[in-house]
Amino acid sequence: VPAQLITDVRGYAAETGNGDAHVLRWKRVLLAFGETVPGFTGTPVSVVEAQGFADQFWNVRWDPVVAALQALQTSQQQRSQQQPSSDLAPPADPIPDNPAPPADPVPADPDPVPADPTPPLPVSELPVLSITDGSFTEGSRGGYYIFFVTLSEPPTGPVQVSYRVETTGTGVGHATGDIDYVDAGSAILFRPGITRNVGLVIINDDTDKEPDETLRIVLTDPQNAQIVNGEAIVTIKDND
């Protein structure tokens, strides 16, 4: 779950002036995100409930929550499919009644040859990271543009990729960092068995009447994976 979204939800949960039911809902969201809520023992909110709240209440706040919970649900389903049917270890071999005496120790080789470390997988065999283009209407979903990064196959070990956000150019039709969007990137971690995860870009709202503008999301620095479709163009649609 994006750190900024968790921070915002904690802020919503602190809005005690909006009533106990309001505070309770947002605390349940924190539990669903895997966060700790001291002194609270409620149940995590489900994806279905969150979607219902988005339909009934302030969807600007709830839409990013629904997207994050859907991504969590997908990752949990993929992890469960990767787990063995039983977590029980096989029984140990019984100890014989009359065990044989231990063999004489073999003297150590004075000059042992170190074993070759396991070589990394060739790049051609690494799972492939990709991202696709998208669009976002200024002022919607609380200013969160949530995008998906996918892997071509479930990894057997952790995979990480960083991303940065940049403009596509200068002048009309090109978004400007820290004016139209927050010029900050982050990193995305894929745990074993997971093939899809989310990143986040904060889009600023304004009152200027302007043409649609574009920005670029670029994947960088992959670990245990390779990037094929590593750039996405996001079109920001004006709402004024």
Side-chain angles (χ1 to χ4, degrees):
V1 179
Q4 182 60 51
L5 182 56
I6 293 175
T7 299
D8 288 345
V9 171
R10 288 194 181 278
Y12 306 154
E15 295 171 340
T16 55
N18 289 336
D20 292 341
H22 171 91
V23 172
L24 174 66
R25 280 192 293 268
W26 291 110
K27 285 184 176 181
R28 293 180 63 209
V29 171
L30 289 171
L31 291 183
F33 285 170
E35 298 296 301
T36 57
V37 183
F40 180 66
T41 58
T43 57
V45 72
S46 68
V47 176
V48 174
E49 286 181 290
Q51 184 61 64
F53 293 143
D55 295 337
Q56 298 176 51
F57 301 109
W58 197 0
N59 66 331
V60 168
R61 288 185 173 186
W62 282 98
D63 281 347
V65 172
V66 171
L69 289 178
Q70 287 173 337
L72 282 174
Q73 185 180 68
T74 299
S75 67
Q76 289 167 355
Q77 290 171 347
Q78 292 175 342
R79 275 200 299 269
S80 65
Q81 292 170 0
Q82 296 295 320
Q83 291 176 349
S85 58
S86 174
D87 293 330
L88 296 177
D93 293 334
I95 300 175
D97 294 333
N98 298 306
D104 293 334
V106 178
D109 188 342
D111 296 308
V113 178
D116 293 333
T118 303
L121 286 174
V123 172
S124 60
E125 297 182 17
L126 292 174
V128 173
L129 289 157
S130 60
I131 187 175
T132 57
D133 297 344
S135 63
F136 184 85
T137 300
E138 209 176 67
S140 64
R141 297 184 179 179
Y144 297 111
Y145 174 68
I146 295 177
F147 62 92
F148 290 93
V149 179
T150 59
L151 270 173
S152 59
E153 59 187 78
T156 57
V159 167
Q160 181 170 302
V161 64
S162 299
Y163 67 89
R164 67 174 185 270
V165 187
E166 62 187 26
T167 185
T168 53
T170 58
V172 177
H174 302 284
T176 302
D178 291 331
I179 295 178
D180 298 303
Y181 63 92
V182 175
D183 189 4
S186 186
I188 299 173
L189 174 66
F190 292 80
R191 300 186 185 279
I194 303 306
T195 58
R196 190 173 78 155
N197 210 338
V198 298
L200 179 147
V201 179
I202 297 178
I203 308 296
N204 297 324
D205 192 12
D206 57 37
T207 57
D208 299 331
K209 292 185 178 181
E210 54 194 354
D212 294 346
E213 299 172 319
T214 57
L215 59 84
R216 181 185 292 110
I217 302 172
V218 183
L219 301 182
T220 62
D221 304 321
Q223 298 178 21
N224 301 321
Q226 57 179 319
I227 297 173
V228 173
N229 299 317
E231 295 189 8
I233 301 299
V234 179
T235 301
I236 304 174
K237 298 182 178 181
D238 187 55
N239 65 340
D240 301 302

